Amino acid sequence: MPYLTNPILSACIVLYHSGAQVLKTVQCLQDSDIMLQLYIVDNSPQDSMGQKILWQCQGATYLPQGRNMGYGGGHNAVLNNLQSRYHLVCNPDVTFPPDLLSRMVQYMDAHPDVAVLTPHVLNEDGTVQYLPKRAPTVRYLLGGKLERLGGRFAQWRADYTLAGASITMPTCVEFATGCFMLIRTAYFQQIGGFDKRFFMYHEDSDLSRRVLRKGAIVYHPDMIITHAWSRDSAHTLGGVMRHVMSTIKYFNLWGWKW
């Protein structure tokens, strides 16, 4: 993957003690049928994974950070480097077919009113991750935590994630998942990337609200990725606290809505 001058597409992966799964993600980017400039932002450069990626993908631009910048902060590290038309924000745990990125670029070229394109996301077992969501509210987030109780909580969760909508065509939504979003580079730069106040969690919710001032967010059910989702907030006290604090920041910024 040689370094490209003014590429159509750029992509960024942020590392933080990332496992070998990221090598599969990098391979998917290398196998894509469209040329791109790849940036690797390393929030844990003391690990060896960044060097392994550079050995695998020698044209990548490696940006080691002096400290953990968080997910959004890590992605913001490339803002001043970007000269592309479109930029891919990509998790280190996703895989996708070789023609996906070129198809996404073609869709964006054909629809200049679209600011962000967000895909259909599957778990590794083929089940659906319901990620094209409405804007968060207190009720919707409570539904996510308590949906196992059924009843009203399950309905709130389904309403939030559009789980019962049976979307079969490209559809405007209010949220683009931070695990994989294609955004117009100029818009990403104009809004200043992710808000640095969100170290982790809700940085994509906040960015989605701001990018809607530029254009539409479109969920495309025929653009499909697989996401090996690891939700530390469900398993560790630190993750839970980070999630709670980001939720409070989000609602303080955008308003507490039931």
Side-chain angles (χ1 to χ4, degrees):
M1 184 182 292
Y3 187 86
L4 302 177
T5 302
N6 298 326
I8 294 175
L9 178 63
S10 56
C12 180
I13 298 173
V14 173
L15 306 180
Y16 183 69
H17 299 299
S18 301
Q21 172 69 33
V22 67
L23 299 177
K24 297 180 181 179
T25 304
V26 171
Q27 191 63 53
C28 287
L29 291 165
Q30 286 186 289
D31 291 343
S32 293
D33 61 3
I34 183 172
M35 295 290 287
L36 60 91
Q37 181 59 47
L38 175 60
Y39 295 90
I40 302 296
V41 176
D42 198 342
N43 281 343
S44 53
Q46 67 276 17
D47 286 356
S48 61
M49 188 55 67
Q51 297 305 314
K52 292 179 181 178
I53 292 173
L54 288 179
W55 181 85
Q56 175 180 332
C57 183
Q58 297 181 13
T61 298
Y62 180 62
L63 300 173
Q65 304 300 299
R67 61 184 177 87
N68 183 8
M69 305 293 290
Y71 185 78
H75 278 287
N76 285 354
V78 306
L79 276 174
N80 293 332
N81 300 66
L82 301 180
Q83 300 178 33
S84 55
R85 186 186 310 164
Y86 305 111
H87 181 64
L88 178 69
V89 173
C90 186
N91 257 34
D93 56 0
V94 300
T95 54
F96 49 89
D99 67 340
L100 176 68
L101 296 180
S102 62
R103 291 174 54 227
M104 294 182 79
V105 165
Q106 289 167 11
Y107 184 88
M108 294 284 276
D109 280 346
H111 298 84
D113 58 322
V114 176
V116 171
L117 191 59
T118 185
H120 184 60
V121 184
L122 301 177
N123 293 301
E124 291 182 292
D125 63 3
T127 55
V128 176
Q129 290 181 19
Y130 291 101
L131 293 178
K133 301 173 184 175
R134 304 182 193 276
T137 66
V138 175
R139 177 176 71 248
Y140 287 157
L141 296 185
L142 280 175
K145 296 298 182 183
L146 301 174
E147 65 175 325
R148 64 185 181 281
L149 300 178
R152 183 171 297 179
F153 299 116
Q155 184 59 55
W156 289 346
R157 179 64 178 174
D159 289 346
Y160 180 35
T161 62
L162 307 173
S166 298
I167 300 174
T168 59
M169 300 176 58
T171 300
C172 291
V173 294
E174 296 176 308
F175 171 85
T177 172
C179 80
F180 197 93
M181 66 166 73
L182 187 67
I183 184 169
R184 294 186 188 273
T185 303
Y187 292 166
F188 191 48
Q189 292 171 323
Q190 288 168 16
I191 66 174
F194 291 98
D195 189 324
K196 63 182 179 181
R197 286 173 287 188
F198 295 91
F199 181 81
M200 184 178 292
Y201 305 115
H202 285 298
E203 68 280 347
D204 47 5
S205 302
D206 170 79
L207 183 140
S208 295
R209 294 289 292 262
R210 290 183 290 118
V211 83
L212 282 170
R213 298 167 177 167
K214 299 291 185 178
I217 298 172
V218 168
Y219 161 70
H220 201 309
D222 293 332
M223 310 293 185
I224 302 173
I225 69 166
T226 298
H227 181 204
W229 203 357
S230 176
R231 301 180 67 181
D232 77 322
S233 65
H235 304 293
T236 70
L237 178 61
V240 170
M241 293 306 299
R242 283 192 294 270
H243 208 160
V244 169
M245 294 306 297
S246 286
T247 299
I248 292 171
K249 289 177 184 177
Y250 176 84
F251 286 129
N252 283 342
L253 185 61
W254 292 101
W256 289 77
K257 297 180 181 179
W258 175 250

